[in-house]
PDB file of all heavy atoms in Angstrom:
ATOM      1  N   LEU B  51       4.363  -8.423  -3.100  1.00  0.00           N
ATOM      2  CA  LEU B  51       4.456  -7.653  -4.324  1.00  0.00           C
ATOM      3  C   LEU B  51       3.505  -6.398  -4.190  1.00  0.00           C
ATOM      4  O   LEU B  51       3.797  -5.361  -4.641  1.00  0.00           O
ATOM      5  CB  LEU B  51       3.913  -8.590  -5.455  1.00  0.00           C
ATOM      6  CG  LEU B  51       4.512  -8.299  -6.784  1.00  0.00           C
ATOM      7  CD1 LEU B  51       4.933  -9.572  -7.424  1.00  0.00           C
ATOM      8  CD2 LEU B  51       3.558  -7.548  -7.665  1.00  0.00           C
ATOM      9  N   VAL B  52       2.358  -6.674  -3.532  1.00  0.00           N
ATOM     10  CA  VAL B  52       1.435  -5.589  -3.269  1.00  0.00           C
ATOM     11  C   VAL B  52       1.630  -5.121  -1.796  1.00  0.00           C
ATOM     12  O   VAL B  52       1.683  -5.981  -0.897  1.00  0.00           O
ATOM     13  CB  VAL B  52      -0.036  -6.027  -3.401  1.00  0.00           C
ATOM     14  CG1 VAL B  52      -0.980  -4.890  -2.950  1.00  0.00           C
ATOM     15  CG2 VAL B  52      -0.300  -6.448  -4.807  1.00  0.00           C
ATOM     16  N   GLN B  53       1.817  -3.870  -1.606  1.00  0.00           N
ATOM     17  CA  GLN B  53       2.048  -3.390  -0.229  1.00  0.00           C
ATOM     18  C   GLN B  53       0.988  -2.410   0.133  1.00  0.00           C
ATOM     19  O   GLN B  53       0.798  -1.394  -0.544  1.00  0.00           O
ATOM     20  CB  GLN B  53       3.384  -2.790  -0.080  1.00  0.00           C
ATOM     21  CG  GLN B  53       4.503  -3.801  -0.446  1.00  0.00           C
ATOM     22  CD  GLN B  53       5.867  -3.284  -0.145  1.00  0.00           C
ATOM     23  OE1 GLN B  53       6.055  -2.093   0.033  1.00  0.00           O
ATOM     24  NE2 GLN B  53       6.829  -4.173  -0.170  1.00  0.00           N
ATOM     25  N   VAL B  54       0.334  -2.650   1.228  1.00  0.00           N
ATOM     26  CA  VAL B  54      -0.713  -1.749   1.617  1.00  0.00           C
ATOM     27  C   VAL B  54      -0.196  -1.121   2.961  1.00  0.00           C
ATOM     28  O   VAL B  54       0.162  -1.727   3.883  1.00  0.00           O
ATOM     29  CB  VAL B  54      -2.035  -2.492   1.999  1.00  0.00           C
ATOM     30  CG1 VAL B  54      -3.071  -1.563   2.543  1.00  0.00           C
ATOM     31  CG2 VAL B  54      -2.564  -3.214   0.847  1.00  0.00           C
ATOM     32  N   GLN B  55      -0.162   0.195   2.931  1.00  0.00           N
ATOM     33  CA  GLN B  55       0.307   0.910   4.096  1.00  0.00           C
ATOM     34  C   GLN B  55      -0.815   1.954   4.528  1.00  0.00           C
ATOM     35  O   GLN B  55      -1.500   2.432   3.734  1.00  0.00           O
ATOM     36  CB  GLN B  55       1.521   1.724   3.760  1.00  0.00           C
ATOM     37  CG  GLN B  55       2.752   0.813   3.614  1.00  0.00           C
ATOM     38  CD  GLN B  55       4.006   1.639   3.731  1.00  0.00           C
ATOM     39  OE1 GLN B  55       4.001   2.847   3.900  1.00  0.00           O
ATOM     40  NE2 GLN B  55       5.190   0.895   3.620  1.00  0.00           N
ATOM     41  N   ILE B  56      -0.827   2.137   5.765  1.00  0.00           N
ATOM     42  CA  ILE B  56      -1.704   3.151   6.370  1.00  0.00           C
ATOM     43  C   ILE B  56      -0.873   4.174   6.995  1.00  0.00           C
ATOM     44  O   ILE B  56      -0.154   3.937   7.882  1.00  0.00           O
ATOM     45  CB  ILE B  56      -2.740   2.574   7.313  1.00  0.00           C
ATOM     46  CG1 ILE B  56      -3.619   1.555   6.635  1.00  0.00           C
ATOM     47  CG2 ILE B  56      -3.537   3.637   8.020  1.00  0.00           C
ATOM     48  CD1 ILE B  56      -4.790   1.112   7.386  1.00  0.00           C
ATOM     49  N   LYS B  57      -0.994   5.423   6.480  1.00  0.00           N
ATOM     50  CA  LYS B  57      -0.149   6.468   7.056  1.00  0.00           C
ATOM     51  C   LYS B  57      -1.123   7.338   7.868  1.00  0.00           C
ATOM     52  O   LYS B  57      -2.084   7.790   7.433  1.00  0.00           O
ATOM     53  CB  LYS B  57       0.624   7.267   6.030  1.00  0.00           C
ATOM     54  CG  LYS B  57      -0.093   8.177   5.140  1.00  0.00           C
ATOM     55  CD  LYS B  57       0.417   9.598   5.198  1.00  0.00           C
ATOM     56  CE  LYS B  57      -0.717  10.556   5.292  1.00  0.00           C
ATOM     57  NZ  LYS B  57      -1.003  11.365   4.111  1.00  0.00           N
ATOM     58  N   THR B  58      -0.668   7.500   9.129  1.00  0.00           N
ATOM     59  CA  THR B  58      -1.496   8.251  10.062  1.00  0.00           C
ATOM     60  C   THR B  58      -0.920   9.677  10.192  1.00  0.00           C
ATOM     61  O   THR B  58       0.151   9.770  10.865  1.00  0.00           O
ATOM     62  CB  THR B  58      -1.456   7.530  11.483  1.00  0.00           C
ATOM     63  OG1 THR B  58      -1.734   6.214  11.290  1.00  0.00           O
ATOM     64  CG2 THR B  58      -2.548   8.182  12.384  1.00  0.00           C
ATOM     65  N   PRO B  59      -1.611  10.605   9.691  1.00  0.00           N
ATOM     66  CA  PRO B  59      -1.089  12.018   9.950  1.00  0.00           C
ATOM     67  C   PRO B  59      -1.105  12.271  11.448  1.00  0.00           C
ATOM     68  O   PRO B  59      -2.077  11.916  12.033  1.00  0.00           O
ATOM     69  CB  PRO B  59      -2.120  12.877   9.241  1.00  0.00           C
ATOM     70  CG  PRO B  59      -3.155  11.982   8.518  1.00  0.00           C
ATOM     71  CD  PRO B  59      -2.867  10.553   9.090  1.00  0.00           C
ATOM     72  N   ALA B  60      -0.020  12.876  11.981  1.00  0.00           N
ATOM     73  CA  ALA B  60       0.109  12.989  13.425  1.00  0.00           C
ATOM     74  C   ALA B  60      -1.187  13.701  14.000  1.00  0.00           C
ATOM     75  O   ALA B  60      -1.542  13.313  15.102  1.00  0.00           O
ATOM     76  CB  ALA B  60       1.343  13.889  13.709  1.00  0.00           C
ATOM     77  N   ASP B  61      -1.704  14.616  13.294  1.00  0.00           N
ATOM     78  CA  ASP B  61      -2.818  15.322  13.925  1.00  0.00           C
ATOM     79  C   ASP B  61      -4.100  14.452  13.995  1.00  0.00           C
ATOM     80  O   ASP B  61      -5.114  14.911  14.501  1.00  0.00           O
ATOM     81  CB  ASP B  61      -3.127  16.568  13.140  1.00  0.00           C
ATOM     82  CG  ASP B  61      -3.385  16.287  11.719  1.00  0.00           C
ATOM     83  OD1 ASP B  61      -2.795  15.313  11.182  1.00  0.00           O
ATOM     84  OD2 ASP B  61      -4.149  17.022  11.008  1.00  0.00           O
ATOM     85  N   LEU B  62      -4.077  13.280  13.420  1.00  0.00           N
ATOM     86  CA  LEU B  62      -5.197  12.493  13.420  1.00  0.00           C
ATOM     87  C   LEU B  62      -5.038  11.246  14.305  1.00  0.00           C
ATOM     88  O   LEU B  62      -5.988  10.542  14.519  1.00  0.00           O
ATOM     89  CB  LEU B  62      -5.427  12.035  11.976  1.00  0.00           C
ATOM     90  CG  LEU B  62      -6.813  11.657  11.498  1.00  0.00           C
ATOM     91  CD1 LEU B  62      -6.966  12.071  10.067  1.00  0.00           C
ATOM     92  CD2 LEU B  62      -7.016  10.203  11.641  1.00  0.00           C
ATOM     93  N   ALA B  63      -3.844  11.106  14.858  1.00  0.00           N
ATOM     94  CA  ALA B  63      -3.574   9.925  15.649  1.00  0.00           C
ATOM     95  C   ALA B  63      -4.455  10.035  16.937  1.00  0.00           C
ATOM     96  O   ALA B  63      -4.716  11.146  17.443  1.00  0.00           O
ATOM     97  CB  ALA B  63      -2.083   9.894  16.127  1.00  0.00           C
TER      98      ALA B  63
END
Side-chain angles (χ1 to χ4, degrees):
Chain B
L51 213 136
V52 173
Q53 303 187 344
V54 179
Q55 288 197 0
I56 295 191
K57 73 126 221 255
T58 312
D61 56 330
L62 204 147

